[in-house]
Amino acid sequence: MTDMKRHILLSLLFVLLVVMGGNASVLDSISFDARLGYALGGTVPTSLDNKIRHINSFNPGFNFSVAAEASYPLNGQWLLHSGLRFELGSMDVDSRVKNYDIEVVRGGETLDGVFVGNVRIKTAQRRITLPIQAAYQLNDKWQLRGGVFMAWLTNRRFWGWAYDGYLREGTPVGAKIEMGTEPGERGDFDFDKNMRHMQWGLDVGADWQFSRRWGAFAELTYGLSGLFKSDFHSVQTLRPIYGTLGILYKIK
């Protein structure tokens, strides 16, 4: 974690402690809930340009989240909402591409250039996420939330292969290398070590309390940080974008 990220996190925690510490009955004011959700989405390009010609198949995988969250009243109908989430995210997408920038390995040789053909990408992530949101209580049933999130990846995977096409080394007019469909003929890649340990972005949501204890929620997270480290350029910039639907149980 960089010094700037560490300072931001410590500052947010300090402000939270000051706000809470100034009220002796703060624990009596906080409401707690447990949440279970299922997410749809994945890691997508910042722009779907003409390099991606067709999505052959898409499997969002088994993406769910378990969370313990809390709300602290600030002023009137405004609240401070935060908590901890454990999230699983995965994706399996097969695309038809043209002039797609990529670096692959075939037969022990690293090849870098632009590819025309099919690309299969698989990702798998485990995250511990800290949301920090401002919430507005519309009435006794509805609450709207919005803010930021920071996530630490405890496990990260990104791998796949380029197949049934050809690679032009270096530039679109470079040497042409045919890629087959079977292992040894196709170009494989594994970019686990190039992924960021930390992600951050925007987080908005809504809660519907349909009974005294039970409710439902919807959440949308948009990653502002790319999936990969800033010095990595072997594939185009990808961002985590997920929409989550789930149930919540009000503990207090």
Side-chain angles (χ1 to χ4, degrees):
M1 185 186 302
T2 65
D3 289 340
M4 180 172 291
K5 295 173 188 174
R6 186 180 296 110
H7 290 159
I8 292 173
L9 179 57
L10 291 176
S11 298
L12 290 171
L13 292 175
F14 176 75
V15 171
L16 182 61
L17 288 173
V18 169
V19 171
M20 294 176 65
N23 189 342
S25 61
V26 64
L27 291 179
D28 295 332
S29 303
I30 296 177
S31 61
F32 297 92
D33 59 67
R35 298 170 182 248
L36 177 65
Y38 180 78
L40 288 174
T43 51
V44 302
T46 53
S47 62
L48 293 175
D49 54 26
N50 59 5
K51 292 183 179 181
I52 301 176
R53 296 303 179 94
H54 180 69
I55 303 297
N56 300 324
S57 65
F58 176 77
N59 182 356
F62 184 56
N63 304 322
F64 76 93
S65 65
V66 178
E69 302 189 11
S71 295
Y72 173 70
L74 295 175
N75 184 19
Q77 294 172 285
W78 289 97
L79 305 96
L80 176 65
H81 186 89
S82 188
L84 283 178
R85 302 170 182 167
F86 175 75
E87 300 174 311
L88 291 180
S90 62
M91 181 187 73
D92 183 349
V93 60
D94 191 299
S95 305
R96 184 74 180 173
V97 301
K98 183 176 182 180
N99 295 334
Y100 189 83
D101 299 316
I102 198 168
E103 180 181 295
V104 298
V105 174
R106 190 182 70 168
E109 180 183 7
T110 299
L111 303 171
D112 185 4
V114 293
F115 179 72
V116 177
N118 297 290
V119 174
R120 180 94 176 260
I121 293 176
K122 296 187 176 186
T123 67
Q125 304 169 51
R126 287 200 298 264
R127 300 182 295 269
I128 296 175
T129 302
L130 171 68
I132 301 175
Q133 300 175 314
Y136 186 78
Q137 194 72 41
L138 290 174
N139 50 47
D140 59 350
K141 293 185 179 294
W142 286 96
Q143 182 185 99
L144 302 179
R145 299 177 280 105
V148 298
F149 75 88
M150 290 178 287
W152 179 260
L153 274 64
T154 60
N155 182 71
R156 59 200 199 283
R157 294 290 317 279
F158 188 99
W159 77 103
W161 52 88
Y163 70 99
D164 192 19
Y166 61 89
L167 179 82
R168 292 282 189 180
E169 279 196 285
T171 69
V173 294
K176 184 178 181 180
I177 301 173
E178 298 287 343
M179 297 283 179
T181 59
E182 300 299 323
E185 301 174 353
R186 69 193 188 194
D188 297 302
F189 53 86
D190 185 338
F191 299 138
D192 298 357
K193 295 180 180 179
N194 304 105
M195 296 176 68
R196 295 180 185 270
H197 284 282
M198 175 169 275
Q199 297 175 353
W200 60 92
L202 303 178
D203 187 7
V204 296
D207 297 343
W208 174 42
Q209 199 73 36
F210 54 76
S211 73
R212 179 172 174 270
R213 292 291 185 182
W214 292 96
F217 72 93
E219 201 92 21
L220 177 63
T221 58
Y222 180 87
L224 295 178
S225 58
L227 191 68
F228 297 104
K229 299 174 183 177
S230 57
D231 59 352
F232 179 73
H233 305 291
S234 294
V235 296
Q236 65 187 114
T237 301
L238 302 172
R239 299 185 189 278
I241 301 175
Y242 287 93
T244 304
L245 295 174
I247 58 173
L248 64 87
Y249 180 79
K250 186 176 287 295
I251 300 171
K252 175 181 174 294

